[in-house]
């Protein structure tokens, strides 16, 4: 089976989308399928990767996004899809790639789209001045249109699924993403690295994520400020870049905060996550948050926004959750972080919770949705040069 995945917002410093594509591709290849992923790039380029054939198409950079790119020409994209003759098409981007769904319908090719965002949350955040009734009508209209253009809609959590369920979408599927349980592991805890990062402080906090408005990175800095005021000796390490870099740097200038920027080496990121006491995931619109799951797999409990889906991943309603959720303000985050700092047993709980999420399970469910049996070995078709 030839599976083609089209994704915007994929790039050298992107996080969750890139990880998802790579893990799905590696999983599909394992079972004998062919995987091609089409992403934005500086020019047309084909390259074979361990995750499948990567095809980059010329793109444009969104102003003020901190480097996010989208494919420039939908016509070029659709011409490429026609040439590739896919058996199945997957899409990651509900906003700019709607035409791909229409094309698959016209050509009778099975398709699915990942809903990586909560449209309701995004509209509320960026268009909160619009009356609620009008916002709701727009969200419902767009979600119905999305569901009608693709054969299947994938939501990764109950939180992400809710806005589709409330309007009765019937082609909705819930499939959780996974985590690399080998690469992200408590065994990566490095006491020398931890000591170096602490710089004399007692507790190490970590924030790993893109520094963009919807992620609310300022909340992590606000939490540190409140903890310091309360006499809690903490230090925060921020991993990630984005459009709010300068703002966060200025906000944290007089606090024990170190900004490391984007780190491409995933092994190094795994060491940072495992060496921390608590990870902070403040984004209120997160529909999954792979970095939070990677923290759990590393044995590090997480404090997340109560407004996001991360509480589901933490199993927050159980008697033994893998972290805590907080209201969307610095004081609440500081309070929840402080509660977790002295409970070393949470490291075991965090790891056990992460073990419920594996990429193998994700790949199996995706292939089942594609109508494939596992394991399945097929003869791969040779791809001609376009």
């Amino acid at each position: 089976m030839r599976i083609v995945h089209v994704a915007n917002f994929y790039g050298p410093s992107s996080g969750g989308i890139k990880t998802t594509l790579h893990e799905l591709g590696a999983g599909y290849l394992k079972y004998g399928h062919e995987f091609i992923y089409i992403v934005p790039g500086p020019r047309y380029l084909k390259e074979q990767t361990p995750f499948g054939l990567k095809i980059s198409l010329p793109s444009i950079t969104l102003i003020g996004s901190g480097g996010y790119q989208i494919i420039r020409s939908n016509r070029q994209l659709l011409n490429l899809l026609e040439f590739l003759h896919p058996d199945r098409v997957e899409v990651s981007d509900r906003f700019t790639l709607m035409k791909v769904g229409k094309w698959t319908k016209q050509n009778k090719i099975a398709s699915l789209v990942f809903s990586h965002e909560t449209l309701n949350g995004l509209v509320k955040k960026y268009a909160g001045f619009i009356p609620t009734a009008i916002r709701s009508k727009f969200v419902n209209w767009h979600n119905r249109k999305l569901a009608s253009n693709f054969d299947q809609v994938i939501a990764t959590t109950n939180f992400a699924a809710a806005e589709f369920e409330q309007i009765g979408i019937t082609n909705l599927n819930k499939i959780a993403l996974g985590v690399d349980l080998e690469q992200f592991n408590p065994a990566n805890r490095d006491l020398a690295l931890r000591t170096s990062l602490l710089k004399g402080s007692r507790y190490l906090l970590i924030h790993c994520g893109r520094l963009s408005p919807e992620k609310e990175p300022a909340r992590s800095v606000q939490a540190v400020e409140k903890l310091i005021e309360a006499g809690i000796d903490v230090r925060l390490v921020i991993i990630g870049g984005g459009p709010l870099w300068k703002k966060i740097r200025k906000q944290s200038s007089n606090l024990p905060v170190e900004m490391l920027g984007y780190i491409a080496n995933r092994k190094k990121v795994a060491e940072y996550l495992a060496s921390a006491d608590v990870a902070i995931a403040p984004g209120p619109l997160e529909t999954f948050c792979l970095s939070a799951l990677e923290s759990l797999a590393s044995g590090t409990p997480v404090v997340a926004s109560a407004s996001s889906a991360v509480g589901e991943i933490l199993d927050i309603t159980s008697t033994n959750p893998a972290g805590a959720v907080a209201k969307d303000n610095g004081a609440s985050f500081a309070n929840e972080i402080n509660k977790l700092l002295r409970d070393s047993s949470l490291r075991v709980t965090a790891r056990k919770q992460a073990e419920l999420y594996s990429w193998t399970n994700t790949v199996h469910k995706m292939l089942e949705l594609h109508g494939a049996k596992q394991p399945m070995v097929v003869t791969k078709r040779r791809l001609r040069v376009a």
Side-chain angles (χ1 to χ4, degrees):
M1 181 183 295
R2 174 176 285 179
I3 302 171
V4 175
H5 193 124
V6 187
N8 276 324
F9 310 114
Y10 173 106
S13 60
S14 57
I17 292 292
K18 181 164 65 176
T19 299
T20 299
L21 261 66
H22 290 181
E23 294 290 349
L24 288 178
Y28 294 159
L29 293 177
K30 176 182 176 181
Y31 290 112
H33 300 286
E34 186 177 5
F35 185 66
I36 302 169
Y37 56 113
I38 304 171
V39 296
R43 64 186 185 282
Y44 177 83
L45 180 66
K46 286 172 52 180
E47 56 182 316
Q48 198 64 50
T49 77
F51 323 109
L53 178 65
K54 174 183 174 183
I55 301 179
S56 300
L57 291 182
S59 63
I60 58 175
T61 300
L62 298 179
I63 297 174
S65 70
Y68 272 150
Q69 295 182 323
I70 61 173
I71 294 169
R72 179 185 301 162
S73 170
N74 277 329
R75 176 176 293 181
Q76 184 182 21
L77 170 60
L78 297 181
N79 287 340
L80 175 60
L81 284 172
E82 185 174 359
F83 167 77
L84 293 174
H85 296 296
D87 297 306
R88 298 287 190 277
V89 172
E90 300 176 348
V91 168
S92 284
D93 185 16
R94 56 146 69 211
F95 303 113
T96 64
L97 297 173
M98 192 81 80
K99 286 186 177 180
V100 174
K102 292 181 180 179
W103 180 86
T104 60
K105 291 282 188 181
Q106 293 168 356
N107 289 275
K108 296 180 172 58
I109 298 172
S111 65
L112 61 84
V113 60
F114 282 88
S115 179
H116 290 293
E117 309 86 5
T118 162
L119 181 57
N120 189 49
L122 288 171
V123 170
K124 185 177 180 180
K125 179 176 178 62
Y126 293 106
F129 56 90
I130 298 176
T132 302
I134 296 176
R135 294 202 312 263
S136 295
K137 285 183 179 179
F138 169 75
V139 170
N140 293 342
W141 167 80
H142 186 277
N143 284 338
R144 287 192 181 99
K145 184 178 180 182
L146 183 74
S148 67
N149 280 346
F150 293 87
D151 294 321
Q152 306 290 341
V153 177
I154 307 297
T156 55
T157 54
N158 292 327
F159 175 83
E163 63 187 44
F164 294 97
E165 291 176 329
Q166 69 182 13
I167 57 173
I169 297 302
T170 57
N171 57 336
L172 176 68
N173 299 268
K174 297 178 190 177
I175 300 179
L177 302 181
V179 63
D180 187 332
L181 293 166
E182 292 185 12
Q183 186 165 59
F184 294 93
N185 195 293
N188 290 320
R189 193 170 178 85
D190 186 327
L191 295 182
L193 174 63
R194 175 180 166 80
T195 300
S196 172
L197 293 171
L198 279 169
K199 291 181 169 47
S201 297
R202 182 175 182 183
Y203 300 110
L204 182 63
L205 309 179
I206 195 160
H207 173 118
C208 185
R210 185 171 174 78
L211 304 183
S212 52
E214 74 279 4
K215 302 288 187 180
E216 294 289 356
R219 195 85 69 227
S220 294
V221 180
Q222 292 165 2
V224 169
E225 185 175 16
K226 294 296 183 182
L227 288 165
I228 294 298
E229 288 177 359
I232 312 300
D233 189 14
V234 298
R235 185 171 183 82
L236 171 66
V237 170
I238 299 176
I239 298 175
L244 295 183
W245 170 271
K246 291 183 179 179
K247 182 177 180 180
I248 298 301
R249 187 174 183 180
K250 182 178 180 180
Q251 179 188 2
S252 60
S253 60
N254 296 318
L255 293 169
V257 175
E258 182 174 3
M259 301 178 67
L260 301 180
Y262 176 77
I263 298 177
N265 187 328
R266 283 168 62 79
K267 183 178 184 299
K268 180 58 69 175
V269 172
E271 291 173 353
Y272 282 121
L273 292 178
S275 300
D277 295 298
V278 173
I280 311 175
L285 305 181
E286 297 288 357
T287 54
F288 197 81
C289 193
L290 279 172
S291 65
L293 188 52
E294 289 168 350
S295 297
L296 296 181
S298 303
T300 301
V302 174
V303 175
S305 167
S307 303
S308 76
V310 182
E312 292 180 41
I313 299 171
L314 300 178
D315 197 18
I316 203 66
T317 58
S318 72
T319 57
N320 193 28
V325 294
K327 296 178 182 178
D328 294 323
N329 61 72
S332 182
F333 266 85
N335 184 52
E336 297 302 330
I337 291 168
N338 191 30
K339 291 178 183 177
L340 303 186
L341 286 175
R342 298 166 184 82
D343 188 353
S344 59
S345 68
L346 281 171
R347 296 193 65 79
V348 175
T349 303
R351 175 64 187 186
K352 286 183 177 179
Q353 183 62 19
E355 288 172 352
L356 299 177
Y357 296 84
S358 72
W359 281 113
T360 298
N361 289 339
T362 304
V363 169
H364 283 184
K365 290 178 180 178
M366 289 296 296
L367 287 177
E368 182 179 347
L369 197 60
H370 282 309
K373 298 177 181 179
Q374 306 96 23
M376 178 178 178
V377 179
V378 298
T379 301
K380 296 182 179 180
R381 288 177 288 183
R382 182 175 296 173
L383 182 64
R384 294 180 289 115
V385 177

